[in-house]
Every structure is written in C-alpha cells, then in structure tokens.
Amino acid sequence: MSTTVDMESPLAQQIIDVIAREGMVDRSKITATATLEDLGLQSIDMVMILNGIEEKFDIYVPMDESIQKIANVGDVIGVVSGLVEADAQKSGAKQQGQAI
C-alpha cells in the first residue's frame, strides 16, 4: 500500500487523534511510515482503533483486503480517508435525491 498521504490534513489529524487515544500511543510517535509494531500496537489495539474510527466518523470499516494489507499509519489514513470520502459522497447523493 502507498504511504503518500497528507498527514497534515484535518481528516488525517482526526484519524491520528483516534489512533493516539484508542491505541494509547504518544501522538508524537505517529508518522506515516510508523508501522503498527513500531507503535507497540497489538491486534486488539487495532480493533479498538477501528471501532473508534467507526464511531468518530459514523462509518463502517469492513474487514476486507484493504484492512488486511495495512502495514503502517499512512495505510490506515489512506483506507479510512477513502471510506469517509465515499460515505460523504453517498450522503450527498441521498440528500440530492431527497430534494427532488
């Protein structure tokens, strides 16, 4: 997976906040290339982080191939950003449909 994400974007910063809070990780150690192992995260921590992301953004994070390929924080931000953007587009389409 690619790690070319904008770590300074507001969405990335919100995702980093969730990772820091739910993973109990020092926020300063969270970089795009930091692996989950670098941060000392176990699989149960990832479950907590993904649950926190679902709650924060009101989205469903499927346990599909994209999640299984996550190797670092940049991957997490990339996958979650895609899900949040897809959800926003879906919500926008629903609102337009209701207005007609």
Side-chain angles (χ1 to χ4, degrees):
M1 294 189 109
S2 173
T3 57
T4 55
V5 296
D6 179 5
M7 295 290 284
E8 300 303 319
S9 75
L11 180 57
Q13 292 297 307
Q14 291 178 48
I15 296 167
I16 291 169
D17 288 342
V18 174
I19 293 170
R21 184 183 63 243
E22 298 297 333
M24 293 188 275
V25 176
D26 182 349
R27 201 177 193 291
S28 66
K29 294 181 180 177
I30 301 174
T31 65
T33 57
T35 66
L36 307 178
E37 292 79 20
D38 291 342
L39 299 174
L41 296 172
Q42 305 295 318
S43 58
I44 188 68
D45 298 318
M46 275 308 295
V47 171
M48 297 298 292
I49 290 168
L50 293 175
N51 285 339
I53 286 170
E54 286 180 332
E55 186 175 304
K56 170 82 177 171
F57 298 104
D58 194 25
I59 61 171
Y60 170 68
V61 180
M63 294 298 142
D64 61 8
E65 188 175 302
S66 62
I67 294 296
Q68 294 170 5
K69 289 184 177 178
I70 286 176
N72 57 43
V73 172
D75 293 343
V76 173
I77 292 171
V79 168
V80 172
S81 295
L83 292 170
V84 169
E85 290 169 6
D87 186 65
Q89 289 177 355
K90 190 173 158 184
S91 295
K94 279 184 182 177
Q95 288 178 352
Q96 285 183 347
Q98 292 172 348
I100 295 173

